[in-house]
């Protein structure tokens, strides 16, 4: 970080614009700002999952690494032309996902968000991740976005789903299954 922030407010955004990492300015409602803002929101939701009781070190460590990578992704989105997310980051997500998924039973039903506070916040992070992915796709339709950004978010949402399942089971709450037969037909 080249410049330290000694003053948090600058007043430069009072007109509805914000500065990008390359020094240019754009509207706070631009697709680029929306995309990296949603990535920031996702990072915060992952922080909530990590702060929940009952999150074991293996999950906490994986999520901490992801938080750093999401910060990099936000930087990549904030600085047009920057490349920070690497194919190896996506490969690592797949390895972590496979390891957490190995002991889970095969899915036979849809799972509802829930299963204890840690699992529920992880499901929330998963849905924010899906929105971040949609925002990056929308940005990519009008500006250049490296495919690694979209691939990373796609894989991360899968990983967060699996981690939510693990958290629900480890907490003793269990997974909340969708009961498709709960309504009378007619």
């Amino acid at each position: 970080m080249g410049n330290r922030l000694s003053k948090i407010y600058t007043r430069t955004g009072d007109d509805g614009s914000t500065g990008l990492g390359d020094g240019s300015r754009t509207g706070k409602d631009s697709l680029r700002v929306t995309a990296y803002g949603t990535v920031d929101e996702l990072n915060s939701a992952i922080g909530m999952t990590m702060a929940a009781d009952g999150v074991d070190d293996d999950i906490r460590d994986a999520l901490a690494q992801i938080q750093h990578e999401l910060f990099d992704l936000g930087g990549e989105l904030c600085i047009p032309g920057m490349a920070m997310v690497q194919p190896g980051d996506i490969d690592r997500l797949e390895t972590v996902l496979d390891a957490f998924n190995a002991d889970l039973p095969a899915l036979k039903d849809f799972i509802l968000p829930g299963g204890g506070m840690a699992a529920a916040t992880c499901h929330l992070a998963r849905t924010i991740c899906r929105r971040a992915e949609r925002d990056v796709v929308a940005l990519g339709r009008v500006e250049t976005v490296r495919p690694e950004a979209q691939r990373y978010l796609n894989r991360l949402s899968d990983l967060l789903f699996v981690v939510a399942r693990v958290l629900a089971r480890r907490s003793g709450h269990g997974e909340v299954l969708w009961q498709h037969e709960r309504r009378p037909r007619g």
Side-chain angles (χ1 to χ4, degrees), residues 38-48 63 66-68 70-71 128:
T38 307
V39 169
D40 186 35
E41 183 182 348
L42 168 60
N43 210 338
S44 295
I46 289 173
M48 289 178 62
L63 293 179
I66 288 164
Q67 282 194 303
H68 287 280
L70 285 173
F71 202 84
I128 295 169

Side-chain angles (χ1 to χ4, degrees), residues 16-126:
S17 69
T18 191
L20 296 177
D22 65 357
S24 65
R25 296 197 66 79
T26 191
K28 289 184 178 184
D29 59 349
S30 75
L31 291 175
R32 184 167 296 280
V33 175
T34 297
Y36 72 72
T38 307
V39 169
D40 186 35
E41 183 182 348
L42 168 60
N43 210 338
S44 295
I46 289 173
M48 289 178 62
T49 300
M50 293 171 64
D53 291 336
V55 178
D56 293 331
D57 287 342
D58 59 342
I59 293 175
R60 194 176 306 283
D61 292 345
L63 293 179
Q65 177 66 33
I66 288 164
Q67 282 194 303
H68 287 280
E69 291 166 355
L70 285 173
F71 202 84
D72 290 342
L73 176 57
E76 180 172 325
L77 294 170
C78 182
I79 304 170
M82 176 64 70
M84 296 189 70
V85 174
Q86 301 302 316
D89 299 326
I90 298 160
D91 294 341
R92 189 191 58 73
L93 285 180
E94 290 175 357
T95 299
V96 171
L97 190 156
D98 290 342
F100 282 124
N101 196 47
D103 295 330
L104 291 174
L107 284 173
K108 296 177 183 171
D109 297 294
F110 288 106
I111 296 173
L112 299 178
M117 184 57 76
T121 58
C122 195
H123 277 295
L124 177 62
R126 173 186 56 80

